[in-house]
Amino acid sequence: NDVYKLTKLVMRRIPAGTFKMGYADSADVRKVDPNIAQRDVTLTKPYYVGVFPVTRKQLRLVTGSASQDKLKYPTVSDTFDQIRGVYTTAGGPYDWPTDRTVDPDSFIGKLRMRTGAALDLPTEAQWEKAARAGSSGVYYDGCEQTHAYERNNIAWNTSNANNDVHPVGELKPNNYGLYDTLGNCWEWVLDWMAGAVDVEPTDPEGPTAAGADYWKGTVPKRMLRGASYACDYMRVTLHERTQNPVNEGGSDYSWRLAMPAE
């Protein structure tokens, strides 16, 4: 329904519980960026996650920006700083998880003021639990990496995307009814990138700072998940991670929203 892609914000309730996070030792993966070895992680509280990535029409309605066309497409190129607030120093304003606030002039800040809801990006663990929707495999529908037909039904990648981003919600959703969690665009999450670190077993919020190897000059890097249309099948998986400086966007970088379930 285009109304939900363009002028509404529809979210799904993700239940609390334990899930398998990370890659299985037997998974056939190319570890371009550090991945987490599969382990049990428990989220003790339910939460909501957007059914679709934020679309360009939704961005326009919230911010008034007309900088992007193709309104049913995911919003791309915005930086982490633009989404939540400009990073200054560790422990300073908007420095998740040390500081939980967002800049009132950021996209999420404006949306919070308009809705009164505690909207934010998901943590990496929240993103992966929502994306997996009960799966512990490489993909959320249980197909194998080598099954191109099944894979192309759930994720835009180099074998079906014609090297371009696509409108949201055109492929098969996962068992929670979420679209485009794999492929099409990488999605920003709250966590700093700190390498292949251990994940807290309960309600992880991510490292308190970017790892020493994950800076570009004086600018630290946050994490993105889910891969994009520019990635081949080896990277379009439920455990793949990448990272980018908080003040840089990308033509295949987008995001979806999350919020606590009261």
Side-chain angles (χ1 to χ4, degrees):
N1 188 321
D2 284 353
V3 171
Y4 293 112
K5 300 176 184 178
L6 297 175
T7 61
K8 304 290 185 182
L9 176 60
V10 59
M11 307 185 87
R12 286 279 192 268
R13 184 183 175 97
I14 310 300
T18 300
F19 72 105
K20 297 288 186 183
M21 182 174 177
Y23 69 90
D25 291 339
S26 60
D28 179 19
V29 297
R30 180 170 59 225
K31 301 175 182 66
V32 177
D33 282 291
N35 288 296
I36 299 171
Q38 196 169 78
R39 67 200 61 200
D40 288 334
V41 171
T42 300
L43 300 182
T44 61
K45 298 178 181 179
Y47 57 101
Y48 290 98
V49 168
V51 167
F52 308 105
V54 173
T55 61
R56 301 176 190 183
K57 178 61 177 289
Q58 291 169 330
L59 181 77
R60 182 174 294 186
L61 288 172
V62 173
T63 66
S65 171
S67 61
Q68 303 189 49
D69 56 6
K70 298 182 178 180
L71 298 182
K72 286 192 287 188
Y73 286 61
T75 297
V76 295
S77 299
D78 286 322
T79 69
F80 188 95
D81 285 350
Q82 289 172 318
I83 297 168
R84 292 190 86 254
V86 175
Y87 171 84
T88 52
T89 59
Y94 324 132
D95 180 27
W96 174 275
T98 306
D99 182 85
R100 310 303 179 94
T101 62
V102 298
D103 187 337
D105 290 327
S106 68
F107 174 85
I108 290 177
K110 291 177 179 179
L111 193 56
R112 283 185 181 185
M113 286 195 296
R114 179 171 293 192
T115 63
L119 293 157
D120 210 329
L121 296 173
T123 64
E124 181 186 24
Q126 288 175 330
W127 184 95
E128 188 164 330
K129 187 178 191 299
R132 286 190 174 281
S135 170
S136 60
V138 174
Y139 302 117
Y140 54 70
D141 69 346
C143 74
E144 300 295 329
Q145 278 186 292
T146 54
H147 294 176
Y149 176 79
E150 294 175 331
R151 183 180 67 249
N152 288 349
N153 281 337
I154 64 175
W156 295 113
N157 62 90
T158 54
S159 65
N160 66 346
N162 197 28
N163 197 36
D164 202 1
V165 66
H166 287 255
V168 302
E170 291 194 334
L171 298 181
K172 178 182 174 183
N174 69 12
N175 288 335
Y176 286 151
L178 306 182
Y179 292 84
D180 301 304
T181 53
L182 289 180
N184 211 20
C185 288
W186 290 98
E187 296 184 6
W188 287 105
V189 295
L190 286 170
D191 301 41
W192 290 113
M193 180 55 122
V197 297
D198 288 340
V199 173
E200 291 293 324
T202 304
D203 295 327
E205 296 182 334
T208 57
D213 295 330
Y214 296 99
W215 292 68
K216 184 176 181 180
T218 61
V219 182
K221 297 181 179 182
R222 297 270 185 182
M223 199 183 306
L224 300 101
R225 297 297 309 270
S228 81
Y229 68 85
C231 299
D232 66 20
Y233 77 95
M234 296 286 282
R235 297 202 72 189
V236 183
T237 66
L238 287 165
H239 50 254
E240 189 65 31
R241 311 160 96 196
T242 195
Q243 29 71 35
N244 207 54
V246 293
N247 65 349
E248 293 183 11
S251 61
D252 58 348
Y253 289 178
S254 187
W255 76 95
R256 75 180 67 221
L257 292 164
M259 62 178 280
E262 299 297 337

